Amino acid sequence: QVQLVESGGGLVQPGGSLRLSCTASGNFERTSTMGWYRQAPRKQRERVALITVDGSTMYNDSLKGRFTISRDNAKSTVYLEMNSLESEDTAVYYCYSFWGKDYWGQGTQVTVSS
């Protein structure tokens, strides 16, 4: 089994920044694609960004420029730097990895509010 554990969520004011982290363990394949999804209240889960082991990235076009994904392969960790946060970014953010099948973290709440 693969375990994905997120951290870094919380409450932030509009215009602020947050950095999410997710560390994989268990039978995690270090060459897995990793990434982030989010689900806002009453909305479907949507992809935020993905990153391959060689650093190739794919972003949700609506978020590109404000969000940056990166990873540390030696630590099996993926990061999401979020800047200029808006109330519409309020959601549960889920860590994701793929190696033959999808793996998900438990999610971390991000709330953007004044």
Side-chain angles (χ1 to χ4, degrees):
Q1 269 292 9
V2 173
Q3 291 80 45
L4 302 173
V5 179
E6 303 101 334
S7 62
L11 174 64
V12 62
Q13 292 188 341
S17 298
L18 275 179
R19 188 192 196 207
L20 305 183
S21 301
C22 169
T23 299
S25 62
N27 294 327
F28 177 73
E29 170 56 52
R30 291 177 181 267
T31 59
S32 298
T33 292
M34 301 185 77
W36 295 91
Y37 282 70
R38 71 182 185 181
Q39 187 165 17
R42 297 175 298 280
K43 291 188 176 181
Q44 289 190 332
R45 190 174 296 191
E46 65 174 352
R47 184 173 63 213
V48 175
L50 299 173
I51 186 168
T52 63
V53 66
D54 62 0
S56 297
T57 58
M58 178 186 299
Y59 289 94
N60 181 322
D61 286 341
S62 67
L63 302 174
K64 194 173 183 179
R66 295 193 298 122
F67 289 16
T68 302
I69 190 169
S70 61
R71 67 189 284 172
D72 184 331
N73 293 327
K75 296 181 179 180
S76 299
T77 298
V78 63
Y79 305 96
L80 185 68
E81 186 77 34
M82 305 184 292
N83 298 312
S84 302
L85 284 163
E86 305 166 354
S87 58
E88 291 77 16
D89 297 316
T90 295
V92 177
Y93 284 71
Y94 295 92
C95 183
Y96 166 84
S97 73
F98 177 82
W99 183 258
K101 59 181 286 188
D102 297 331
Y103 296 95
W104 297 94
Q106 297 276 27
T108 184
Q109 176 70 46
V110 171
T111 302
V112 184
S113 176
S114 56

